[in-house]
Amino acid sequence: MSYRVIALDLDGTLLTPAKTILPQSVEALKKAREAGIHVAIVTGRHHCAIHPFYQALELDTPAICCNGTYLYDYQAKKVLAADPLDTQLALQVIEMLDQQRIHGLLYVDDAMLYQTPTGHVTRTLNWAESLPPHQRPVFRQVPDLAQAARDADSIWKFALSHPNIPELQQFASKVEAELGLACEWSWHDQVDIAKGGNSKGKRLAQWVESLGLSMSDVIAFGDNYNDLSMLETAGLGVVMGNADEAIKARAKKVIGTNLETGIAETIYQYVL
């Protein structure tokens, strides 16, 4: 079967550990676009942290951001569809975070906010500083994260990290049980908290339907737990070789790591 949509996770999938895209992937995706295939980024990232990759691929499709919380149109510079986090629920999360002394980023509107520059935040800031000024995402340190949440028009998600993974797992379970929010792991030491019901698969299915297509027309690439909702509903879900064994066990196809040319080879085999 020739698929009509290519859905791509970024970190751990399309991106190498150095946050670059392999030239073989760039070329294969270019040929796919020229053949009329829809190529879409489906990521846990904020839209302001996708610029260098979106531009490198010369895309014109909307990006699915923050694990499906919203669909962003880069050409029009606007959100097309969204299910943001309720402010009062966000404030409850912040109160719980303060109690547990867990830190991270709050994704709002057009920026990512933080109060305490922990390891995860520092790493992300260093990556941003390595980019040309016009591609840098907007990070802001705020004196009071709760007040920043009150001031935001839209709250997309929390991206939390903690050196004690079991404690972070316990925190996520508590948030799910007590607040009914969606907690998805986007990295081995990072959990994302967003409005319940949001997922990459759900938002991708909505966008694909707007094209007059179905998920059976989609080939999706991913590597982590927050990708499963699209990997398991796509016509072909492809998991990277660097993924956890638990993810690979639920895949329809497993390819090489994000340092190898498996994405390009799979596109040539199944799409072009």
Side-chain angles (χ1 to χ4, degrees):
M1 176 179 180
S2 182
Y3 297 97
R4 304 303 306 159
V5 177
I6 300 172
L8 294 151
D9 169 55
L10 287 177
D11 296 282
T13 302
L14 183 65
L15 302 185
T16 69
K19 307 303 180 189
T20 60
I21 305 175
L22 295 175
Q24 294 90 341
S25 297
V26 173
E27 181 64 20
L29 290 167
K30 178 182 178 182
K31 290 181 178 178
R33 293 195 324 276
E34 291 172 347
I37 307 300
H38 303 278
V39 177
I41 289 174
V42 186
T43 180
R45 288 181 178 238
H46 194 295
H47 70 266
C48 73
I50 305 174
H51 288 295
F53 319 118
Y54 192 89
Q55 292 168 4
L57 296 175
E58 299 179 340
L59 300 181
D60 58 5
T61 49
I64 293 171
C65 304
C66 291
N67 299 324
T69 296
Y70 65 105
L71 182 70
Y72 187 78
D73 184 332
Y74 274 95
Q75 278 65 44
K77 292 183 170 53
K78 68 176 184 179
V79 173
L80 299 177
D83 292 292
L85 189 58
D86 177 79
T87 301
Q88 291 306 312
L89 285 175
L91 292 174
Q92 290 182 61
V93 173
I94 292 170
E95 183 177 350
M96 293 167 69
L97 288 170
D98 289 342
Q99 291 170 355
Q100 298 296 317
R101 296 183 179 179
I102 295 174
H103 305 290
L105 291 163
L106 177 62
Y107 290 39
V108 303
D109 303 325
D110 295 309
M112 291 171 283
L113 314 178
Y114 65 97
Q115 188 168 326
T116 304
T118 57
H120 163 66
V121 173
T122 301
R123 289 195 304 271
T124 311
L125 288 170
N126 289 340
W127 167 75
E129 286 299 315
S130 72
L131 297 172
H134 70 282
Q135 291 185 339
R136 287 177 191 164
V138 180
F139 288 95
R140 287 202 299 269
Q141 186 169 18
V142 295
D144 185 344
L145 204 60
Q147 187 57 50
R150 294 186 191 98
D151 293 339
D153 291 327
S154 297
I155 299 171
W156 304 130
K157 75 167 188 177
F158 291 87
L160 309 175
S161 61
H162 193 57
N164 189 317
I165 304 301
E167 284 187 15
L168 191 58
Q169 291 171 334
Q170 291 174 6
F171 181 83
S173 297
K174 185 177 181 180
V175 167
E176 286 182 320
E178 296 183 7
L179 302 182
L181 299 179
C183 295
E184 293 196 294
W185 293 83
S186 56
W187 205 246
H188 71 279
D189 63 349
Q190 179 180 313
V191 65
D192 297 337
I193 299 176
K195 182 178 179 180
N198 285 339
S199 71
K200 290 185 176 185
K202 179 181 177 181
R203 188 68 66 188
L204 177 60
Q206 291 173 350
W207 177 66
V208 168
E209 185 177 336
S210 75
L211 300 175
L213 301 170
S214 71
M215 287 297 285
S216 63
D217 297 305
V218 177
I219 179 170
F221 295 85
D223 76 303
N224 224 312
Y225 291 92
N226 63 334
D227 297 315
L228 285 172
S229 60
M230 69 171 180
L231 293 171
E232 295 187 326
T233 55
L236 181 60
V238 183
V239 172
M240 307 304 293
N242 47 282
D244 287 349
E245 292 304 317
I247 307 295
K248 294 179 186 177
R250 296 167 66 172
K252 296 171 185 174
K253 181 177 176 64
V254 178
I255 59 175
T257 72
N258 56 338
L259 280 170
E260 301 174 272
T261 58
I263 289 178
E265 292 164 5
T266 303
I267 289 171
Y268 289 126
Q269 181 179 358
Y270 290 95
V271 180
L272 297 174

